[in-house]
Amino acid sequence: MKRLNVAFFMLLAAANVTSAHDEYRSRADKHAPAGLMGDHLHAPGEWMVEYKYMNMYMDGNRAGTQRLSDSEAINFGATSNPVTNRMASPNNMTHEMHMVHIMRGMTEDITLYAMVMLPSITMDHTRGPMNPAGGGPGSLFTTHNSGFGDTTIGALIGLYTDSNDDVILNLGGSLPTGDIFRTTSIPSGGMMEQPMPYPMRLGSGTFNARPGITWKHYFDFGSFGTQFQTDLPIGRNYRGYSVSDEFRLNNWYSQLITDNFTTSIRVENLWRTNYDGADPMSPDSMISTNVESFRGGYTLNLGLGAAALVRGHLLNVEFVPMLHQDLNGIQLETDWSIVSSWSKSF
């Protein structure tokens, strides 16, 4: 009889752990804030479909931590090393991204995922003093590029789980499906064709490794998590360069208002290296966005978000203002971004 009682209480304890595990992961904070991915697993045979929209706005140039006016950016480019912005200087940029994300649970500990991205990039410029179309105040132009970006695929692997904690390894990567070489004659007023500068290209042109790891902890009235995510190009693309190595460290806290509604706060540290190599048809003197040594730097962002679970549909939104930037050379500074998503599991 004693052995039966011990077995009964062990089964009861296991059932309570399973119940708490399922309860925590069925609330509105079951996913990380909208700006993050790769943070959760799905049960075997379960699918998830997600549409995510991101809009990032960049306005004004920055050298290191110093904010520059449009005229200062052109003049600063004349004395920088390398000399740049002789043909044009960027003023602001809007980078929109539409993403379709599919996940499927294969086992209790393995979830596969794929994501297709469609970027739309618009950049405003001021013509510089060496531009054949003429420079000076009021000589403005706009360029635009859109289409398919790089495709992301990968596997999420559960390393550890209990009623309150999940530790998940992200073994992801990206495929070079985005176009990296389109030309335009708009900057010169139709006088010459030139490639789009680096920030306006739709992909990296390389296979990229994207390993990462996430830890999430749930409790009765909320959750918190930390994630380290990387994006590492493998070799150089057919244009002779590779994009930045990227390292992101995120920490967030989600506060439940009800089981179906949560708010969140997130702090993001982002490090990027300069580009390696160079596109031979993108001379540095034309514009600062052509300069490979002007692509790296550090950014500190704050994320303010909310999520609602409505009849099995998860609606997630986050506003992300920039707190601090220290950029290599002259670059457009990031002012803010907004991310929203809808997802459904079945």
Side-chain angles (χ1 to χ4, degrees):
M1 181 64 71
K2 180 180 288 188
R3 290 182 179 177
L4 288 175
N5 288 337
V6 171
F8 172 77
F9 283 114
M10 289 179 65
L11 289 171
L12 182 62
N16 287 336
V17 168
T18 301
S19 176
H21 183 282
D22 294 340
E23 178 184 350
Y24 286 147
R25 290 153 184 84
S26 63
R27 308 180 312 196
D29 64 336
K30 63 181 181 177
H31 293 186
L36 298 180
M37 289 181 288
D39 65 291
H40 65 278
L41 300 175
H42 289 273
E46 183 179 55
W47 290 84
M48 187 203 78
V49 177
E50 179 181 40
Y51 166 73
K52 190 183 292 282
Y53 171 78
M54 184 273 293
N55 189 326
M56 180 174 64
Y57 183 67
M58 309 172 79
D59 183 40
N61 286 272
R62 180 175 293 230
T65 59
Q66 179 186 1
R67 178 73 185 267
L68 304 175
S69 68
D70 295 341
S71 60
E72 286 174 333
I74 292 177
N75 293 331
F76 194 97
T79 58
S80 64
N81 184 18
V83 173
T84 188
N85 286 348
R86 297 296 81 200
M87 293 280 283
S89 175
N91 298 339
N92 58 70
M93 184 174 85
T94 301
H95 189 156
E96 296 181 274
M97 185 80 76
H98 301 271
M99 294 163 273
V100 178
H101 186 203
I102 298 174
M103 304 180 74
R104 188 181 192 274
M106 303 303 294
T107 70
E108 290 288 347
D109 298 319
I110 299 176
T111 293
L112 302 183
Y113 66 88
M115 184 169 65
V116 176
M117 296 184 282
L118 290 94
S120 177
I121 308 166
T122 303
M123 187 181 288
D124 295 328
H125 308 74
T126 297
R127 289 188 172 92
M130 303 301 292
N131 196 302
S139 183
L140 307 175
F141 67 92
T142 299
T143 55
H144 176 79
N145 198 10
S146 61
F148 281 99
D150 289 350
T151 300
T152 301
I153 59 173
L156 301 176
I157 301 173
L159 301 181
Y160 175 81
T161 188
D162 59 26
S163 61
N164 298 91
D165 298 275
D166 289 323
V167 179
I168 299 171
L169 178 67
N170 186 352
L171 294 180
S174 64
L175 311 178
T177 52
D179 194 343
I180 64 168
F181 191 75
R182 291 182 180 176
T183 62
T184 178
S185 62
I186 293 175
S188 62
M191 297 183 186
M192 58 181 288
E193 287 283 336
Q194 56 190 281
M196 292 280 192
Y198 293 126
M200 296 204 66
R201 301 185 182 190
L202 303 180
S204 65
T206 57
F207 292 92
N208 294 4
R210 305 191 68 223
I213 191 165
T214 304
W215 170 52
K216 294 173 68 176
H217 179 79
Y218 297 90
F219 41 91
D220 290 343
F221 50 86
S223 58
F224 65 82
T226 185
Q227 182 183 83
F228 181 67
Q229 184 65 50
T230 64
D231 194 345
L232 309 172
I234 301 171
R236 296 181 181 178
N237 56 41
Y238 78 95
R239 298 301 306 169
Y241 70 92
S242 62
V243 300
S244 304
D245 293 345
E246 188 173 289
F247 307 90
R248 294 177 183 264
L249 177 62
N250 279 276
N251 295 279
W252 73 91
Y253 171 76
S254 295
Q255 173 67 53
L256 285 175
I257 308 302
T258 71
D259 280 354
N260 294 323
F261 184 75
T262 186
T263 58
S264 64
I265 184 169
R266 174 170 66 97
V267 176
E268 178 180 60
N269 295 272
L270 168 60
W271 297 268
R272 289 191 177 103
T273 65
N274 290 326
Y275 283 14
D276 180 46
D279 185 330
M281 290 184 64
S282 298
D284 294 349
S285 61
M286 294 180 69
I287 189 169
S288 56
T289 46
N290 275 350
V291 182
E292 296 80 14
S293 60
F294 290 178
R295 305 311 314 147
Y298 167 74
T299 302
L300 177 66
N301 294 319
L302 176 69
L304 303 171
L309 190 59
V310 183
R311 297 181 179 179
H313 300 261
L314 183 64
L315 307 176
N316 206 348
V317 64
E318 189 177 29
F319 176 66
V320 187
M322 182 270 289
L323 299 180
H324 173 73
Q325 276 195 304
D326 187 356
L327 303 176
N328 298 347
I330 308 169
Q331 298 183 47
L332 285 172
E333 71 170 30
T334 300
D335 286 355
W336 53 264
S337 61
I338 188 166
V339 188
S340 59
S341 70
W342 161 88
S343 64
K344 179 73 170 66
S345 300
F346 55 92

